[in-house]
Amino acid sequence: MSKKNRTVNPAIYEGLKSVIGQPSDKVISYDAAVDDFIQYSAIKGLSKHTASSYAKELNQLRKSFVDQGVDLTNIREVKASDFEEFIRLQVAKGYAPSTINIRVRTARIFGNYCVKKGYTSNNAASGVSLLKMRHTVGATFTQAQLKRLLEAPDLSTFEGVRDLAIMLTFADTGIRLSELEAIRTTDVVFPDRAINIQLTKNGYARRIPMTKRLQTVLRAYMKARGLDEFTSSLFVTIEDKPLNARSIQYQIREHGRRSGVLDDVQCSPHVFRRTFAKFKIKAGVDIFTLQQLMGHSDITELRKYVAIYSSDLDAAIEKGIE
């Protein structure tokens, strides 16, 4: 009777260790682990924006580790103290707490992935505390500023009609820049009076009703745009090329500059989004309806708007007074 082989194939051995949660004997560098993580994010179905954000933040972390002299040839050599020093340096450079916290959260997600894959035995970033933040709401437009912005485009040109349609879509739907960039002509459904947002941050498509004025402007824009069999993107250049996020941001800033609004407040897609939330809260729209319209996973972010803009406290202050 032949004896069984008393050694196990190295590949099988590594796979078994991963199954039971033991760290691999294989040494992997920080860069290689990040590459694997980004590929995993794409396979998992995360949006291109999210995967790009992970890569950006982990690259910032890498630069800091290099400055600190951290050994990046072995991911297991990265310690909690290295992350704490990273935070200290970020604070010293004047980065906002919200920006630093995004980087720490990304590091935690990456660390969990490394543990799951057996690259490390523990997540060194898991015990690093986030910075305390003041819960504030950023700049928003007033009604007068919004009116000036919408009046800025030259409506005798294709670009002017397009830019009005873009800014009004932001103003009347509160969608994100990445969502607007991804809208296709078929996503605008006039019989249903709605825009179907397919590419969202949380991965769930949603329907946003169109206001009457947005319907009118989008009909005019789509007539000027015409149909192009090679370009399905809703918003395009005069050469029928899809309009990218950077170009959209630039055009909004330019209209802010021409209208003078940029002298008083930043002009960007996110300011439109904040303004949408402000006006809806002030108009009495409940937070759960607003959550659905804006595509938030939870109401945590929207509570800040309610605290500042809700009129419920004004109505309640006189009640109970004799």
Side-chain angles (χ1 to χ4, degrees):
M1 181 181 295
S2 62
K3 293 184 178 180
K4 299 292 186 184
N5 189 342
R6 298 189 180 276
T7 61
V8 178
N9 181 286
I12 297 176
Y13 172 67
E14 290 292 338
L16 290 174
K17 294 193 75 175
S18 176
V19 168
I20 63 175
Q22 288 187 358
S24 169
D25 292 335
K26 180 181 177 181
V27 173
I28 186 169
S29 69
Y30 176 89
D31 292 340
V34 168
D35 288 343
D36 285 355
F37 173 65
I38 299 303
Q39 289 181 18
Y40 166 79
S41 299
I43 295 171
K44 189 179 177 182
L46 297 182
S47 70
K48 181 175 68 173
H49 175 77
T50 300
S52 176
S53 177
Y54 283 164
K56 174 185 172 184
E57 303 307 343
L58 291 173
N59 186 50
Q60 285 290 331
L61 193 61
R62 183 189 190 283
K63 289 178 180 178
S64 179
F65 285 162
V66 169
D67 291 342
Q68 296 174 49
V70 177
D71 179 11
L72 298 182
T73 61
N74 185 350
I75 190 69
R76 294 177 196 165
E77 294 302 314
V78 181
K79 304 293 190 296
S81 57
D82 298 323
F83 287 100
E84 291 167 354
E85 178 64 9
F86 163 74
I87 293 176
R88 189 191 69 77
L89 291 172
Q90 293 277 289
V91 171
K93 290 179 179 179
Y95 285 103
S98 58
T99 300
I100 298 172
N101 285 346
I102 287 173
R103 289 169 181 167
V104 173
R105 289 191 181 98
T106 301
R108 288 178 178 177
I109 295 170
F110 171 61
N112 286 336
Y113 170 80
C114 289
V115 172
K116 180 180 178 181
K117 293 289 290 185
Y119 297 157
T120 59
S121 58
N122 67 294
N123 183 353
S126 62
V128 178
S129 300
L130 298 174
L131 298 181
K132 289 186 177 180
M133 294 172 52
R134 293 181 179 179
H135 295 286
T136 59
V137 172
T140 59
F141 300 125
T142 63
Q143 287 282 11
Q145 288 169 337
L146 186 57
K147 184 174 184 293
R148 283 159 57 193
L149 265 177
L150 296 177
E151 290 175 346
D154 180 359
L155 300 185
S156 67
T157 67
F158 168 76
E159 291 96 334
V161 175
R162 179 201 64 199
D163 291 353
L164 172 61
I166 288 172
M167 291 194 292
L168 197 59
T169 301
F170 280 129
D172 283 12
T173 67
I175 66 174
R176 300 176 177 90
L177 172 61
S178 59
E179 294 172 340
L180 182 136
E181 183 187 13
I183 297 176
R184 302 290 181 255
T185 53
T186 52
D187 296 331
V188 181
V189 187
F190 287 111
D192 192 33
R193 301 193 302 277
I195 301 174
N196 296 322
I197 308 300
Q198 306 288 358
L199 184 62
T200 63
K201 185 176 181 180
N202 60 16
Y204 293 95
R206 71 183 187 279
R207 171 186 177 273
I208 302 182
M210 287 189 283
T211 61
K212 291 180 179 179
R213 67 174 183 173
L214 181 56
Q215 290 181 68
T216 300
V217 170
L218 279 179
R219 282 185 186 277
Y221 165 68
M222 291 184 75
K223 185 175 181 180
R225 178 195 183 282
L227 295 178
D228 185 282
E229 60 179 317
F230 301 108
T231 308
S232 61
S233 296
L234 176 61
F235 295 111
V236 296
T237 67
I238 199 167
E239 295 86 12
D240 283 325
K241 303 295 183 183
L243 201 65
N244 61 37
R246 183 169 295 182
S247 296
I248 294 169
Q249 292 171 314
Y250 173 79
Q251 289 302 120
I252 291 175
R253 281 197 302 271
E254 279 298 289
H255 291 304
R257 182 184 61 79
R258 294 190 192 103
S259 64
V261 174
L262 191 59
D263 295 335
D264 303 319
V265 63
Q266 179 188 5
C267 295
S268 71
H270 203 67
V271 176
F272 274 104
R273 185 167 165 82
R274 292 193 207 112
T275 302
F276 176 84
K278 177 183 75 171
F279 287 158
K280 293 304 179 189
I281 292 293
K282 290 174 74 71
V285 175
D286 70 88
I287 193 169
F288 297 104
T289 298
L290 187 57
Q291 177 191 359
Q292 289 183 315
L293 286 172
M294 299 186 71
H296 281 288
S297 298
D298 58 56
I299 62 173
T300 303
E301 182 71 17
L302 293 174
R303 282 176 175 161
K304 297 186 295 186
Y305 292 91
V306 174
I308 295 176
Y309 298 121
S310 174
S311 59
D312 290 348
L313 294 180
D314 300 83
I317 197 67
E318 293 293 341
K319 292 181 179 180
I321 302 296
E322 296 183 359

